[in-house]
Amino acid sequence: MESMEIDESVLAALVPSSSSVIVLGSYLGYLAIAGLVLPGKVIPGVALSDGSRLYYRCNGLLSLLLLLVLTGTGIYMQWMSPTVIADKGIELLSTTLIFSLLVSLILHIVGSNSKNRSASLKPHVSGNFINDWWLGVQLNPHFMGVDLKFFFVRAGMMAWLFINLSILAKSYLAGNANLSVFLYQFFCAWYVIDYFYHEEFMTSTWDIIAERLGFMLVFGDLVFIPFTFSIQGWWLLKNKVELPLFATILNCLIFITGYLVFRGANKQKHIFKKNPKALIWGKPPKLVGGKLLVSGYWGIARHCNYLGDLLLALSFSLPCGARSVIPYFYPIYLFILLIWRERRDEARCAQKYKEVWAEYCKLVPYRIFPYIY
C-alpha cells in the first residue's frame, strides 16, 4: 500500500505544476536578461566557414554571483525555501524535458524555413525529420538577441550548481551532511565556478563552433547536465558514507590532477587558436604541418582534455564510496561518450588534414590515456 502511494506521488510529480513552470521560467528569464544587460568581456568567436564571427558577452560568472546573492536574500527574507529545487526535483525535471522538446521542435520549424544564407543561420536540412530534429538545422540560432546555444549551456551548468546547493541544504537540515557530502559539493562547485571564470574558452569548443542546435544539445544542456550530473548528491542524501583518510586524500589528488589536466589542456588550445605563436610551457609551440599543436598537454595525448574530464568525473563520484554503481553513472556515461566522440573526431580530422594528421598521430600515438590508449 505504501509502495503504491509512493508510486502515485512520483507519477503525479511527473506532471508539470504551475510552481515548477514559474521556477523554470523565472530562472531562464533572469539568465536571458542578465546575459544581455550585465557587463562582461566580449569575445570574438572562431571564424565561421564564410569568414564571419559571432561575438559572445562572457558575463556568466557575474550572472551566477548575482543570482546567488538574490537567492540568498530570498531565503534570508523567507520568501523561498532553500530546499525548493530539491523538493520539486522530479517536477522540474519533467517541466524542463517538455520545454526542451518544445524548443527543439520550434528550432526545427523556424530553422527549416529560414532564408538566411550566413554560416551561423543557414539551414542544413537532410529531409530526415528525426535526424534534423535531433542534430538541428542551424548552427547558432538567436532569439531576441540571445545566442541560444551559448545560453542553454550556461543555463545547464548553472542549474547543476543550484540543484546541488538545494540538495546540500536538504542534507544539512536532515542532519546527514558529512565529509563525503562536502567533498562532492566542493568539487562540483569549484568545477562550475571555474567554468564560468574561464567562460570565454567555451567559445572555441566543438559544440559551439561545429554542432548545430537541435534536441541533442538542448536536452543535453538543460536536462542531462543538471539532472544527471547531480545524481551523486541525491544518492548521498539517502545514503551515509564515511570515507577513511586514505580515500579522502586519494579523492582530492584525483580531483586536483583532473582539474590541472582538463583546465590546462583547454587553456593551451584556446590560447593557441587566438595566438599560434604564444609560448606553451615556456617554449615556442611545436606544430605539425603548421596547423596541429604537439606541445604541452597536446604532445602527451591527442585528446588530453578528455583525460582530465574523466578524472574530474571520477572524483565527483568517489565520495559516494563503492557500495553502489548508481553514483558512478556520470563517469561511466562520460567514458562511453568521450570514446565515441574521440573516434568521431579522429575520423573528421583524418579527412580534413590527411597526411598531416597521419604524421601527427605518429608523433602523438596516444588518444586519451598515455601509454594505454
Side-chain angles (χ1 to χ4, degrees), residues 22-44:
I22 291 172
V23 170
L24 179 62
S26 300
Y27 172 66
L28 295 178
Y30 163 81
L31 286 184
I33 295 171
L36 290 172
V37 303
L38 291 181
K41 188 177 180 181
V42 178
I43 302 297

Side-chain angles (χ1 to χ4, degrees), residues 11 51 57 75 120 126 170 269:
L11 289 174
R57 185 181 297 276
I75 293 170
S120 62
S126 68
K170 204 170 181 69
K269 180 179 69 173

Side-chain angles (χ1 to χ4, degrees), residues 62-128:
L62 183 58
S63 299
L64 171 60
L65 295 177
L66 179 58
L67 186 55
L68 284 170
V69 170
L70 292 174
T71 304
T73 301
I75 293 170
Y76 178 78
M77 298 299 293
Q78 297 184 348
W79 295 335
M80 61 185 294
S81 166
T83 64
V84 62
I85 299 174
D87 293 338
K88 296 184 176 296
I90 298 178
E91 289 182 33
L92 286 170
L93 171 61
S94 63
T95 303
T96 310
L97 174 58
I98 293 172
F99 176 78
S100 300
L101 288 167
L102 292 174
V103 166
S104 57
L105 183 60
I106 293 171
L107 285 171
H108 178 270
I109 295 171
V110 173
S112 298
N113 290 284
S114 173
K115 304 300 181 183
N116 197 301
R117 310 314 294 173
S118 66
S120 62
L121 296 175
K122 179 182 177 181
H124 298 266
V125 181
S126 68
N128 183 322

Side-chain angles (χ1 to χ4, degrees), residues 150-372:
F150 198 66
F151 173 78
F152 287 148
V153 69
R154 175 183 286 185
M157 290 296 293
M158 211 175 288
W160 178 18
L161 177 61
F162 277 90
I163 289 173
N164 274 346
L165 291 177
S166 188
I167 294 172
L168 175 61
K170 204 170 181 69
S171 297
Y172 178 79
L173 293 174
N176 59 3
N178 60 5
L179 178 60
S180 295
V181 171
F182 287 118
L183 272 182
Y184 163 73
Q185 291 286 345
F186 174 77
F187 291 159
C188 292
W190 180 283
Y191 182 87
V192 173
I193 293 171
D194 178 79
Y195 168 88
F196 285 111
Y197 182 80
H198 296 98
E199 190 176 31
E200 68 175 271
F201 294 174
M202 185 66 191
T203 62
S204 59
T205 60
W206 183 261
D207 284 355
I208 292 294
I209 65 178
E211 296 281 14
R212 298 190 295 275
L213 185 60
F215 180 74
M216 180 181 72
L217 283 187
V218 176
F219 172 82
D221 291 339
L222 295 182
V223 180
F224 199 85
I225 288 176
F227 291 100
T228 64
F229 289 12
S230 57
I231 284 176
Q232 301 94 320
W234 290 108
W235 195 86
L236 287 170
L237 186 61
K238 300 295 183 181
N239 299 271
K240 191 171 185 178
V241 177
E242 298 290 348
L243 289 179
L245 179 61
F246 171 76
T248 301
I249 294 174
L250 179 62
N251 196 172
C252 291
L253 288 175
I254 291 174
F255 172 78
I256 293 171
T257 303
Y259 172 74
L260 291 175
V261 174
F262 173 77
R263 179 52 61 212
N266 283 324
K267 185 174 183 179
Q268 287 176 356
K269 180 179 69 173
H270 181 77
I271 291 174
F272 172 72
K273 286 184 176 181
K274 292 182 67 176
N275 179 13
K277 295 182 179 180
L279 298 180
I280 301 292
W281 287 349
K283 299 178 181 179
K286 182 180 178 182
L287 308 179
V288 174
K291 300 177 180 178
L292 301 177
L293 180 66
V294 291
S295 293
Y297 289 105
W298 301 96
I300 298 173
R302 301 200 291 270
H303 304 274
C304 209
N305 55 330
Y306 290 176
L307 171 61
D309 214 359
L310 287 168
L311 289 174
L312 284 170
L314 179 62
S315 74
F316 298 159
S317 297
L318 287 174
C320 299
R323 282 187 290 170
S324 172
V325 72
I326 292 174
Y328 290 85
F329 169 82
Y330 176 32
I332 292 171
Y333 151 78
L334 190 65
F335 177 80
I336 296 170
L337 173 69
L338 293 183
I339 292 294
W340 169 76
R341 177 171 283 191
E342 171 267 320
R343 292 301 179 103
R344 186 183 67 166
D345 293 348
E346 293 271 325
R348 286 177 173 173
C349 289
Q351 183 179 21
K352 180 178 180 180
Y353 297 109
K354 298 181 173 58
E355 64 275 359
V356 175
W357 183 255
E359 183 182 352
Y360 173 62
C361 291
K362 289 179 181 178
L363 289 173
V364 187
Y366 303 107
R367 296 169 181 258
I368 299 176
F369 304 98
Y371 305 105
I372 299 175

